Every structure is written in structure tokens, then in C-alpha cells.
Amino acid sequence: MSIDWNTAFAPRALKLTASEIRELLKLINQPDIISFAGGIPDPALFPHAILAETFHEILSNPATRDAALQYSVSEGYQPLREWLAQTYLPKIGIATHADNILITNGSQQGLEFLAKLFIGTGDRIIVTNPSYLGALQAFSLYEPTFVTVPVQDDGVDLAALEAEMAKGAKFFYLTPDFGNPCGATVSLAQRRAMLELAYRYGIAIIEDSAYDQLRYDGEPVPPLLALDSDRLNQPRPLSEATAQGQVIYTGTFSKSIVPALRIGWIVAPQPVLQKLVLMKQASDLHTPTLNQMAMFKVAETIIFDHAAKIRAVYRERRDAMLTALNEFMPDGVSWTEPEGGMFVWVTLPEGLDAAEILAKSIAEIRVAFVPGAAFYPDRSGKNTIRLSFSVPPPEKVRDGIKRLGGLITEAVAALKVDA
Amino acid sequence: MSIDWNTAFAPRALKLTASEIRELLKLINQPDIISFAGGIPDPALFPHAILAETFHEILSNPATRDAALQYSVSEGYQPLREWLAQTYLPKIGIATHADNILITNGSQQGLEFLAKLFIGTGDRIIVTNPSYLGALQAFSLYEPTFVTVPVQDDGVDLAALEAEMAKGAKFFYLTPDFGNPCGATVSLAQRRAMLELAYRYGIAIIEDSAYDQLRYDGEPVPPLLALDSDRLNQPRPLSEATAQGQVIYTGTFSKSIVPALRIGWIVAPQPVLQKLVLMKQASDLHTPTLNQMAMFKVAETIIFDHAAKIRAVYRERRDAMLTALNEFMPDGVSWTEPEGGMFVWVTLPEGLDAAEILAKSIAEIRVAFVPGAAFYPDRSGKNTIRLSFSVPPPEKVRDGIKRLGGLITEAVAALKVDA
């Protein structure tokens, strides 16, 4: 009797389907393509020299090399946890303690762990519509009922959020700063209002802060986690790990230093963190120690200067994209003007299908992007597009948007003829 | 309304409880302790020089450094997958294809993924009794019904296995070569019989082969995966990825090179592997590319010579342990004589509690080990002990066993007085 794998798998395996972004990214490595698709950092900005030097130091020094290569604790490398708690996070307004931090394989693993910890089959979770695709993928494996609240340039629909929170949910997930995919930033007033709702209805908030170092203009808005801590009147810096609060925070060095060392973190109240540490142990024992030691050393040495440097580059590309959109997009097309991050979110006139435009765009004008529907749990948003400006230089950004503007102008004209 | 986390968590969170080994390992870093506890490689055997050199080469070379640090595909680094398929695995009798291989963060992540893919709440899974604790932890999060079959020095109880397979199960998990914890090796005849049962009842086998390079004497027994492939009459080497077979295989470099780069792999039929790749993407995107590139280069260059070198060291320690057990253990105590791996499994007379002996052992004679009950899904085996011989040098092994033998001799004598 041979195995029918499809019946052997658990029901959650049905949720494992290939993503549009993933399949698309396989096509766009041809050199003549201008890609606005992947949300990836520009490798030309990687701090190569200090990374090479740091790895060599750790691996050459008898005092560090064994610890870098041997099994270690699931919580993460202690000096990295302490530096995050004492130096890095306070700079963005967060008071916490090393014992509230778990090191993860990028923030993606943090989201997956939180899904595994909270979501029972059928449980309601609230997400913004649209949301980061990787979060939707991580959550969906645990078979939640997705409940969505709209998010646009001016933030999250609070009335919708309250209505859904009132019905109960395991958590509310959002990317409050120039989020993936739509580039919107949630205002301070909105953050306070969200927290009040979360307190009122007893609902946890997952704050995904992958782009925290990538603000190009405007004033920083305190993280929800910082506002949550303030409310508890915790001393700064905290003298011991906190068991209180309702915000769980995920961060990463993937956008600010390099992605492929896979170093991210979760900040959470003690009852949550204790469970997450045990989950980490059962999942992959620990994040590679060598990578943690190297990232600690590099981040401690360069992060704030380095972030300023990459911000200057990305800001220029964002500006090039916004300028080109103004110049080349036809009437009826709108877009966000993000204060940071990597993405501009474009809304086409109703009736246009971004997936169809993508097929044509790759074939005819060699420009790639991600159709927005992938980011909607309900697969609405067919007339939306995510454009990343992080990799192509400004002249390529302009050239690509010019081509895309032409294609969309034609599509809009055809739509009017049809109507 | 503040959150009651314990009701906010999914039911699976109840399975997240601290392990004895983990808590124990926190205590044994004092230098005067002789530890037979952790199943860890001796860091003095790590190939430091080539690791330092390889990382430096990759990170200094403009042709490799960007790929090493940028986001990458979830399947894993292609040259590593191909080398595993074409060179490494054939040396241990396995014919497979790169497209049947997923790179994971150590084999622990492989076990976690297989649990997530197969286990629905309440599903029956068959494990040996005792089993590797990390596997039990990974599986238990998905809330299976654990069904156990006894394993001892002479292998797995096949009648019990058939009885349980006949009732249906998602998979049967075992570590067939000098397994963790009990050191037993499953004979060729037993492997063939197990496979026949698996075919008869349509049940997948998960073969955990973490110790494949650590055989000290006796002839290698073909992996179950090799026997499974033979039955399918697949050409060697396979010209394309296979969709057939019932054995899923997990491997790692953690024991043969170093643990903390966290590089392992799963070999599986295509329908399984395709799901696992999507799961990897949702879980943490990909294993650190730099680590994969470095491990590929190091493994390709030294693995077989290096494995011969560490085998010589571990063999001597195993022999020292077996000699000392013969010399210092009282009548009524028995143990396995493993052909490889890192563990000797000791059975004390009924009525003795290894956990109590451990407490006394650490306090009085400064020797650490792991009480065997942790490895039994049903928490039986209170009179068993796992001893690891991989780290202490032979004279310390002898000294530790001498002390432990004295303590156990006293305990046996006290038991007789009580009776």
C-alpha cells in the first residue's frame, strides 16, 4: 500500500501553496528586467569589510571560536540581548530588559512562533488589509479565521478595529511604520487609540517593526511597545524583566544590515517569552551562535552611522519614484507617499487587474512588480500594485516608472473604451 | 481588561514545558563537574582553521559575498544540495537528487517541520520507547497521540511495531544507528522487516540519522532510505527528483563538523519536499546563506578525513567508558555497547530512581548525566541513565564512572536493605 501523501498530511498542509512573489522572483533575475518586486536591501550597501573582519576575528580567536561553533542556549547570545535592551531599543523609545528578548532567525521566525503560540484552529486574528504577505503565510498554517481591518495612507480604520476587537480575537497584527506592503504610517493618536481598544477588549497587539531604521523624513512615532510600557509606568531602564504589557514586538537587522545572517528578535512580556524560548528549543535549538556574535559586534559598531548612510540612498530612490509617478502615471492612478521603508503602494482605477498588467509588463516592457492582491487575506485589491524602490538606482527607477506609466496609461485608455 | 496569557495561548502551548536536560545543562558548567550529560561534540575537535579561512574567503570575494548575505531561496544553497545528492549521501548508500533535499537549521528543524506537516491534533504517531528528546518535544507541539514500541540493545520490537502500524499512524520515527538515547543499532534484517511493515500498512518512516559519521566498529548498515530506494529500482545516481518512496530522512553536520552553524537537511519524496519548501519559506525564509556556503566548502574539503579523525577520539572515550563500567558498576546494572554515536544507556535495578541519584551525584561526587525518563513519552524508565562519552577525555571518563559506580553501588546496597 503506497502512501497518498495528500491524505497523510495534516489539514494545515492545504495552506501551503506557492506565493505569487516567490514564483515571480524566479523570473526576474534576467539582467534587462527593472525590478520593483522584491522587498530586499541593495547588496551594494552591505557593510562587507567589517563583516569579513568580524567573522575572521571571532573564528581566529581561541577565546571566542568554540562558543561561536558549539550548541548554545535557545534564548540567544546574551551580549546581543543585553545590547538590544540597553542600547538599541532605547534609541527608538523602548524600555525593556534582556530577559524579555528572544533572538530569532529573522523576524519571519518571530511571526511564525507567535502564530504557533496563539492560534488554535478557527481562532479569530485581526490583520490589516492589506498585510505583509510573509505574516499571512506564517499565520495561515495554524488555520485561523482571518478578520481584516482596512489600512490606507491615513492609517487603520479604528471603527472597524473596535468592532472586530469587541468580538474577540487572539491578536491584532500590524506593521505601523511605512508598512509592507502599503507604506502607510500609523499616527501617534491612532496608536494610542489602538492601545486603548486593546486594553478594553483584552487583545494582544503584534507590532512588526522590520523597517525601524528606514525613516527618510518626518518625526519618528513611538512604537506601540513604547506606549504600552509608558502606561505601565515602568522605570527606564527596567531593572528586571517585565511580566506586563500587551504589545509583542518583532524586529530584525535584515533591512538595516544584511538579511542572510537571519538575525531578528521578539520583545514580549515574560509569560509569552518563556513559552517562546521553549518553542525555539523545539524548533531549531538556537539561532546560529556565530551569526549572533558577528551581528552583535557589527551592529554595536556601525548600526546608527550605517543606517544614516543607507537612508540617504533609499531616500533618493523613493524621491525618484514619487517624482516619476507624478510625471508618468495617468489620471485615476493614486499612490502612497511613504516616510520610509521600501514600498510605494499604487491603486489603479477599479476594473484594472494588476496581475494581467504584470504579465504584460514583464513580456513587453521588462518591468517587474508585485500585484497587490497577494497581500489581501480576502484576495481583493486586484487593482493594487506594490512597488519597491530599494534596489534600482534613481535613473533606473525613473526609466522603469516611465515604462510602467506608459503601459498603465494604455490600460486605463482601454478601460474607458470598454466602458 | 488585561490579558490572561494562559487562556490566550493555543492549547498546544501547554506542551511547552522546560526539559530536564535543558535545566540540567544550566548547572553543569562549573569546572569541577565531570559531565556525561549533553550530547554535544568536543569543541577541541572543531576544524577551526578551515572554518576561519572559508568564511574569510566568502566574505572577502566580491563574486561571493553579496549572495552570502542577501535573501535567498528557501530550498537551500544549490551547490550544497547537489554535493549532498551526488557525493555525500551516495557514500552512505543513498541515491537521491538535489531536488529531493531541503536545507534546514540543523536536523531539529527538519523534525519540527515533519511534525507540522503530518500531525493533526490527536493523530497517532509511532516512536521508539525511549526516543530522542528533541524529537518528542518537536512532535508534542502538534498534539499527537504518542504510540510507543520498545527498543533495546537488540533493536526494535517488531511484533509491537506491526500491531501499532496495523491500527494506522501518521509516521514511525526512529534513530536507527547507535541512536539517541540508547545507543542501539537496528540490524539490516530488522530494517527490511520494518520497511515491509511500512509498505503493508502505508505508513511513512522518519529516519533520523544525526550520527551517520560516528561508527567506531562493525559494518555500516544501509540506511532505511537506501533500502527504500533500492526497492524502487531507481538508477544511481538518479537523473531526476523522485516522487516515490516512504522513507523521509533527516541529517546534519552538527555532530561531524560543528553544531552552531545550524546546517542540516531533509531528504524526501517530491510531494513531501514541495510542501516542506513552502513551510521553510513561511517559517524563516531560508537557512543563513553564508553558513550554507561555508559549510558546503568545508564539508566538501574535509568531511571524510575529519570524520575519521574524530571517530578515533570518540572511540577511545567510548572504550574508556565501557571498560570503566565493567570495572566499577555493581551487579544488577546493565548497559548498551554502542557501535558508534555518543551514548551509553545504563539500566539500574528496578526500584532505583535515576533522578534522585542525579541530585546526589551532582551534590556529592560532582558527576552529571541525564536520567532516562525524559526520553520516554510515557515517563517510564525511571531506572535508566543516559551517559555521553563525547567530551571528557578517557581519564576523566574513567574517574567519573568510578565515582558514579561507587554511588550506584551504595544505592543498590540500600535497596537490598530496604527490601
Side-chain angles (χ1 to χ4, degrees):
Chain A
M1 181 164 123
S2 73
I3 292 185
D4 175 357
W5 294 107
N6 286 315
T7 60
F9 297 151
R12 71 177 67 86
L14 290 174
K15 307 294 179 182
L16 292 164
T17 53
S19 90
E20 286 88 343
I21 293 187
R22 179 180 167 77
E23 295 309 306
L24 184 69
L25 283 175
K26 290 182 179 168
L27 302 173
I28 61 171
N29 286 327
Q30 291 109 322
D32 66 323
I33 291 251
I34 297 177
S35 177
F36 302 131
I40 63 178
D42 184 350
L45 301 173
F46 291 164
H48 294 109
I50 189 172
L51 279 164
E53 187 188 314
T54 303
F55 272 91
H56 198 66
E57 267 173 32
I58 294 167
L59 288 172
S60 307
N61 184 343
T64 54
R65 64 191 188 185
D66 285 348
L69 298 168
Q70 183 61 288
Y71 286 117
S72 185
V73 294
S74 301
E75 288 86 344
Y77 181 56
Q78 190 62 17
L80 174 60
R81 297 169 80 208
E82 286 176 3
W83 177 79
L84 284 168
Q86 291 164 16
T87 304
Y88 184 85
L89 292 170
K91 283 251 191 189
I92 49 178
I94 293 169
T96 190
H97 188 274
D99 289 346
N100 288 109
I101 298 175
L102 169 71
I103 305 299
T104 55
N105 300 340
S107 54
Q108 182 69 31
Q109 188 177 51
L111 298 174
E112 205 270 344
F113 281 5
L114 292 168
K116 184 156 45 187
L117 182 59
F118 282 98
I119 304 173
T121 307
D123 281 348
R124 287 165 51 89
I125 63 170
I126 306 174
V127 301
T128 56
N129 204 24
S131 274
Y132 165 50
L133 178 58
L136 300 180
Q137 289 175 328
F139 300 163
S140 71
L141 264 181
Y142 298 94
E143 305 172 90
T145 300
F146 281 104
V147 176
T148 62
V149 294
V151 60
Q152 268 303 348
D153 209 9
D154 55 348
V156 171
D157 182 334
L158 288 175
L161 181 62
E162 170 150 26
E164 296 300 349
M165 280 192 172
K167 291 181 214 161
K170 282 304 182 83
F171 57 74
F172 168 45
Y173 165 81
L174 79 165
T175 51
D177 292 288
F178 13 92
N180 183 357
C182 77
T185 294
V186 175
S187 69
L188 179 59
Q190 275 219 340
R191 292 178 198 220
R192 291 197 194 281
M194 278 174 188
L195 274 173
E196 284 310 314
L197 293 176
Y199 300 144
R200 188 174 313 154
Y201 298 107
I203 298 197
I205 294 182
I206 298 177
E207 177 173 32
D208 177 347
S209 186
Y211 300 90
D212 66 296
Q213 291 298 314
L214 299 187
R215 172 174 283 280
Y216 312 131
D217 41 42
E219 280 303 303
V221 188
L224 287 143
L225 177 58
L227 302 172
D228 190 33
S229 301
D230 283 350
R231 171 172 178 268
L232 300 167
N233 289 319
Q234 290 168 340
R236 299 167 168 268
L238 295 175
S239 56
E240 56 186 49
T242 179
Q244 319 235 260
Q246 285 189 207
V247 175
I248 300 167
Y249 177 98
T250 61
T252 179
F253 292 120
S254 291
K255 313 300 181 188
S256 56
I257 299 183
V258 293
L261 299 188
R262 312 301 303 121
I263 305 289
W265 57 88
I266 304 178
V267 186
Q270 270 289 299
V272 177
L273 202 87
Q274 283 166 6
K275 290 290 187 187
L276 291 171
V277 169
L278 294 168
M279 187 176 278
K280 178 71 180 168
Q281 185 187 23
S283 294
D284 59 7
L285 303 183
H286 61 82
T287 291
T289 326
L290 174 62
N291 299 228
Q292 295 186 69
M293 291 169 78
M295 188 59 99
F296 163 59
K297 184 77 187 163
V298 170
E300 184 194 43
T301 311
I302 67 162
I303 181 79
F304 300 112
D305 292 343
H306 184 69
K309 183 178 129 187
I310 67 176
R311 277 196 296 268
V313 175
Y314 291 147
R315 181 191 292 117
E316 192 186 5
R317 293 174 189 178
R318 178 204 57 177
D319 292 345
M321 183 168 277
L322 293 176
T323 302
L325 286 166
N326 264 314
E327 193 168 348
F328 299 114
M329 281 294 157
D331 284 352
V333 176
S334 62
W335 53 90
T336 55
E337 298 194 347
E339 294 177 331
M342 296 183 167
F343 308 108
V344 173
W345 185 250
V346 178
T347 305
L348 307 177
E350 288 285 343
L352 286 185
D353 182 335
E356 284 172 18
I357 292 176
L358 174 64
K360 218 169 163 176
S361 178
I362 288 183
E364 294 178 11
I365 61 168
R366 311 299 282 160
V367 173
F369 57 83
V370 181
F375 302 93
Y376 286 85
D378 60 2
R379 295 300 162 128
S380 63
K382 283 197 192 314
N383 61 325
T384 60
I385 281 176
R386 191 190 75 174
L387 297 176
S388 168
F389 51 78
S390 55
V391 174
E395 61 280 9
K396 276 222 169 181
V397 168
R398 185 180 160 81
D399 183 21
I401 295 297
K402 183 176 176 183
R403 296 187 210 175
L404 191 59
L407 192 72
I408 290 173
T409 301
E410 282 171 30
V412 170
L415 193 69
K416 284 178 182 156
V417 171
D418 287 352
Chain B
M1 179 165 128
S2 72
I3 293 185
D4 175 356
W5 293 108
N6 286 315
T7 62
F9 296 151
R12 71 177 69 86
L14 290 175
K15 307 294 178 181
L16 292 164
T17 52
S19 90
E20 286 88 343
I21 292 187
R22 179 181 167 78
E23 295 309 306
L24 183 70
L25 284 174
K26 290 180 179 169
L27 303 172
I28 60 170
N29 286 328
Q30 291 108 324
D32 67 323
I33 290 253
I34 297 178
S35 176
F36 302 131
I40 62 178
D42 183 350
L45 301 174
F46 292 164
H48 296 109
I50 189 171
L51 279 164
E53 186 187 314
T54 303
F55 272 91
H56 197 65
E57 268 173 32
I58 294 168
L59 288 171
S60 306
N61 185 343
T64 54
R65 63 191 189 186
D66 284 348
L69 298 168
Q70 183 61 287
Y71 285 117
S72 186
V73 294
S74 302
E75 287 86 345
Y77 181 55
Q78 191 62 16
L80 174 59
R81 298 169 81 209
E82 286 176 4
W83 177 79
L84 284 169
Q86 290 163 16
T87 303
Y88 184 85
L89 292 170
K91 284 251 192 190
I92 49 177
I94 292 169
T96 190
H97 188 276
D99 288 347
N100 288 108
I101 297 175
L102 169 71
I103 305 299
T104 55
N105 300 340
S107 54
Q108 183 70 30
Q109 187 176 52
L111 298 174
E112 205 272 342
F113 281 6
L114 292 169
K116 184 156 44 186
L117 182 58
F118 282 98
I119 303 173
T121 307
D123 282 348
R124 288 164 50 90
I125 63 170
I126 306 173
V127 300
T128 55
N129 204 25
S131 274
Y132 165 50
L133 178 59
L136 300 180
Q137 289 175 328
F139 300 163
S140 70
L141 264 181
Y142 298 95
E143 303 173 272
T145 302
F146 281 103
V147 176
T148 61
V149 294
V151 60
Q152 268 304 348
D153 210 9
D154 55 347
V156 171
D157 182 334
L158 288 174
L161 181 62
E162 171 151 25
E164 295 301 348
M165 280 193 172
K167 292 182 213 161
K170 282 304 182 82
F171 58 73
F172 168 45
Y173 165 81
L174 79 167
T175 52
D177 293 287
F178 13 91
N180 183 354
C182 76
T185 294
V186 175
S187 69
L188 179 60
Q190 276 219 338
R191 291 177 198 222
R192 290 196 194 281
M194 279 175 187
L195 274 172
E196 285 310 314
L197 293 175
Y199 299 143
R200 188 175 312 155
Y201 298 107
I203 297 195
I205 294 181
I206 298 178
E207 178 174 29
D208 177 347
S209 186
Y211 300 90
D212 66 296
Q213 292 297 316
L214 299 187
R215 172 174 283 279
Y216 312 132
D217 41 41
E219 279 304 301
V221 187
L224 286 143
L225 177 58
L227 302 172
D228 191 34
S229 301
D230 283 350
R231 172 172 177 266
L232 300 166
N233 288 319
Q234 290 169 340
R236 298 167 171 266
L238 295 175
S239 57
E240 56 186 49
T242 180
Q244 320 234 261
Q246 284 189 207
V247 175
I248 301 167
Y249 178 100
T250 61
T252 180
F253 292 120
S254 291
K255 313 301 180 186
S256 55
I257 299 184
V258 294
L261 299 187
R262 311 301 304 122
I263 304 289
W265 57 88
I266 305 179
V267 186
Q270 269 288 298
V272 177
L273 202 88
Q274 284 166 7
K275 291 291 187 187
L276 291 172
V277 169
L278 294 168
M279 188 176 276
K280 177 72 180 168
Q281 184 186 23
S283 295
D284 59 8
L285 303 183
H286 60 83
T287 292
T289 326
L290 174 62
N291 299 228
Q292 295 186 70
M293 291 169 78
M295 188 58 99
F296 163 59
K297 184 75 185 162
V298 170
E300 184 194 43
T301 310
I302 66 160
I303 181 79
F304 300 110
D305 290 344
H306 183 70
K309 183 178 131 189
I310 66 176
R311 278 195 296 268
V313 174
Y314 291 146
R315 180 190 293 118
E316 192 186 5
R317 293 174 189 179
R318 178 205 57 177
D319 292 345
M321 182 168 278
L322 293 176
T323 302
L325 286 165
N326 263 314
E327 193 168 347
F328 299 115
M329 282 294 156
D331 284 351
V333 176
S334 61
W335 54 89
T336 55
E337 299 193 347
E339 294 177 330
M342 296 183 167
F343 308 108
V344 172
W345 186 250
V346 177
T347 305
L348 306 175
E350 287 286 342
L352 285 185
D353 182 335
E356 285 173 17
I357 292 176
L358 174 65
K360 216 167 166 179
S361 178
I362 289 183
E364 295 178 11
I365 60 168
R366 309 301 280 162
V367 172
F369 57 83
V370 181
F375 303 92
Y376 286 84
D378 59 4
R379 296 298 162 126
S380 62
K382 284 196 192 311
N383 61 324
T384 59
I385 281 176
R386 191 190 76 173
L387 297 177
S388 168
F389 51 78
S390 55
V391 174
E395 61 280 9
K396 276 222 168 180
V397 168
R398 186 182 161 81
D399 183 22
I401 296 297
K402 183 176 176 182
R403 296 189 211 173
L404 191 59
L407 193 70
I408 289 172
T409 301
E410 282 172 29
V412 170
L415 193 68
K416 284 179 185 155
V417 171
D418 287 352

